[in-house]
Amino acid sequence: MTQLVGVNEPRAAWQELLAGAKSLGIKTNVWRMLRTPPELERTIQERAMACGIPEAAIATDDRGAMQTLADREALINVRPLRTHHWSGIGGCLKNYIVFSDSPPAWHPDGCADLGGLMNLPAVKGKTRLHLLVVLTPQFHGKGPHYFDPRYVWDYKGLIASRDPVAADATGVRLLVAKRREFFGEEVPFATHTKHVEVAETKHRVGVADPHKIELVKLGWQDDVLI
Amino acid sequence: MPQRIAGYAVVEEATYTPETVFDYLNGGAEIYLSYGMEAVLGRRYAHPEEPELLLDVFDLGSSENAFGMFSQEQENPTREIGQTSEYTPGLLRFWKGRFFVAITATGLTDGATAATLALGRACAAAIAREGVQPELLNSLPAEGLVEARVRFVRTASALSRHYDLAGGDILGLGCDARAVLAEYERSGGRAVLLLVECWTRP
């Protein structure tokens, strides 16, 4: 957090990140197969409380987010990275689909317009941090739940960004690298991850081009892949 | 379908229709709808010491649809459970009659594997009637056919998961077609055959 915000102390980093916010919504993801770890949710909540946001003003939710988080002054978006049937990957952009009145309306063309979710009135300009959880990312899927334990690995990482597109674009790179390593060849996603590129080129909600993303790698570098 | 098996017991159960299945299958419902899904029974089995199992029984209305759905992800099928089945660690898939069945283990342990296979066999036994594969498969030339790479599809979107014909539905398959995509290996070369059933209007 200190690296991301550019300050020396963790508490100062959180304070700057949440500056001015009197309430916080933590948009999590509770998909049964690979949910946001409750420990991580609690840690975020504790950091926010240490910044002076009262516990009663902090809500954590996924499917009820439209009812419980839309009125918050600040949001933190936190979810695991995984491959996905119809959007190629499920990342930070897709995590806001529940803020839409009609989630299926975002499905056409490989969910190409998911970037537009960041411009919905309920969330626009509110998100202070996007945390793409890559502790145990899922790099391939199969079956009705598109989950197969063979395709989840212990990467033990977190991708933190103020830019959801940059976070997801980095996640795509990671999954591509893992798939290449695992399968020994380029195996395309079930659906091309065009929504990440379109989020930059059409919706202008972030940067997808890896050449324009400053990737700062901290901590353990073994098997970092990217 | 058994309520208890190998130390596991049902802890949650629901039936979903084409209208509600989106609430259940996060992002994966469309392919089942493209095979005429009429209903799916979703059950969660829990064990005090083992990873959970998810049982999904899809009623696809016909055996050709059940075979087609199975063929979508087949890699190395056998005839051990149901009419054709495939087990990869953590996932059992099979079809029998008009039903396609999948059992997903949320973790990899010996106990979960044994229970997955036992549950699969019990479910297959509970489906009384067998069905027939799509007739169109009989039109495939046998020489060099890679049987594990045969996909029976009803829609362009189901076809595009395996073979992209310049995007969109340029063959006009619509949502009720019968087509089979098959791979061949002959003389050291590989080829793909797409066979589409067409009808002349009376």
Side-chain angles (χ1 to χ4, degrees):
Chain A
M1 294 305 296
T2 56
Q3 285 277 326
L4 183 71
V5 178
V7 298
N8 291 327
E9 296 296 325
R11 177 176 286 208
W14 283 96
Q15 280 176 333
E16 183 166 329
L17 195 76
L18 297 173
K22 294 185 176 57
S23 61
L24 174 67
I26 301 169
K27 174 58 182 70
T28 188
N29 194 286
V30 297
W31 187 54
R32 177 182 293 132
M33 304 299 191
L34 190 61
R35 63 159 296 160
T36 304
E39 295 85 352
L40 185 56
E41 296 171 353
R42 279 199 296 275
T43 300
I44 295 169
Q45 184 183 13
E46 286 165 9
R47 298 295 181 274
M49 289 164 63
C51 293
I53 301 179
E55 185 173 6
I58 301 172
T60 303
D61 206 343
D62 180 9
R63 289 161 191 169
M66 190 64 171
Q67 289 73 44
T68 59
L69 306 185
D71 63 346
R72 305 288 150 159
E73 291 182 3
L75 294 171
I76 289 179
N77 183 16
V78 54
R79 67 153 295 160
L81 171 66
R82 68 177 178 103
T83 48
H84 195 276
H85 253 306
W86 295 101
S87 54
I89 68 146
C92 290
L93 292 167
K94 191 172 184 307
N95 206 35
Y96 274 9
I97 200 163
V98 293
F99 286 109
S100 162
D101 293 331
S102 175
W106 299 86
H107 288 167
D109 194 16
C111 303
D113 285 309
L114 286 178
L117 292 166
M118 293 292 153
N119 289 324
L120 291 174
V123 301
K124 188 172 184 179
K126 290 184 182 176
T127 307
R128 307 293 179 90
L129 174 66
H130 298 275
L131 264 183
L132 191 56
V133 181
V134 287
L135 296 167
T136 58
Q138 178 190 332
F139 62 92
H140 190 54
K142 199 172 176 186
H145 300 279
Y146 210 58
F147 179 82
D148 184 325
R150 289 178 302 163
Y151 303 133
V152 173
W153 89 108
D154 288 333
Y155 186 67
K156 307 171 185 174
L158 293 170
I159 296 173
S161 180
R162 302 215 209 195
D163 176 342
V165 189
D168 281 4
T170 305
V172 170
R173 283 181 59 203
L174 175 60
L175 295 187
V176 167
K178 181 62 183 177
R179 290 159 72 90
R180 192 185 299 124
E181 178 192 72
F182 185 88
F183 295 114
E185 59 180 337
E186 296 288 337
V187 176
F189 290 107
T191 301
H192 176 48
T193 57
K194 68 192 293 185
H195 74 271
V196 181
E197 297 146 29
V198 174
E200 176 180 6
T201 57
K202 178 180 174 184
H203 298 287
R204 312 261 178 216
V205 292
V207 175
D209 182 351
H211 298 104
K212 299 180 197 164
I213 297 170
E214 183 189 4
L215 180 60
V216 179
K217 291 179 272 190
L218 302 172
W220 192 12
Q221 301 291 310
D222 292 356
D223 300 321
V224 72
L225 293 177
I226 53 172
Chain B
M1 308 296 169
Q3 289 282 333
R4 294 177 176 275
I5 193 160
Y8 280 83
V10 174
V11 291
E12 189 179 350
E13 172 177 321
T15 301
Y16 302 88
T17 65
E19 290 73 34
T20 61
V21 68
F22 289 100
D23 298 332
Y24 180 56
L25 299 180
N26 185 349
E30 281 91 345
I31 189 68
Y32 296 92
L33 294 173
S34 83
Y35 282 100
M37 193 204 96
E38 296 179 4
V40 56
L41 167 70
R43 269 189 183 174
R44 186 159 63 92
Y45 288 81
H47 184 289
E49 295 161 5
E50 301 286 356
E52 288 187 346
L53 305 182
L54 303 179
L55 167 69
D56 295 294
V57 182
F58 293 86
D59 182 349
L60 300 178
S62 71
S63 58
E64 65 174 3
N65 282 344
F67 169 82
M69 189 57 238
F70 177 82
S71 74
Q72 269 288 323
E73 293 184 323
Q74 66 177 346
E75 295 172 17
N76 188 22
T78 69
R79 301 194 185 283
E80 288 178 20
I81 296 176
Q83 293 189 245
T84 320
S85 64
E86 186 164 294
Y87 178 74
T88 51
L91 180 63
L92 172 67
R93 307 166 58 256
F94 73 86
W95 75 279
K96 184 176 180 183
R98 65 176 201 267
F99 298 98
F100 169 76
V101 179
I103 303 171
T104 308
T106 57
L108 296 177
T109 65
D110 291 344
T113 297
T116 297
L117 295 172
L119 181 57
R121 289 191 187 96
C123 292
I127 300 170
R129 283 192 186 175
E130 292 204 341
V132 293
Q133 292 191 358
E135 260 188 56
L136 196 57
L137 268 62
N138 299 329
S139 303
L140 292 173
E143 186 188 345
L145 176 66
V146 182
E147 290 197 15
R149 298 291 181 100
V150 170
R151 323 285 181 195
F152 177 73
V153 302
R154 307 296 307 268
T155 64
S157 64
L159 175 63
S160 70
R161 287 160 59 106
H162 299 282
Y163 199 82
D164 193 3
L165 278 173
D169 185 12
I170 63 171
L171 294 178
L173 296 182
C175 58
D176 193 24
R178 286 180 175 78
V180 59
L181 182 74
E183 281 192 27
Y184 284 83
E185 290 179 352
R186 287 185 185 178
S187 309
R190 293 172 67 88
V192 173
L193 172 68
L194 175 62
L195 197 59
V196 182
E197 185 178 85
C198 299
W199 294 89
T200 304
R201 287 186 190 283

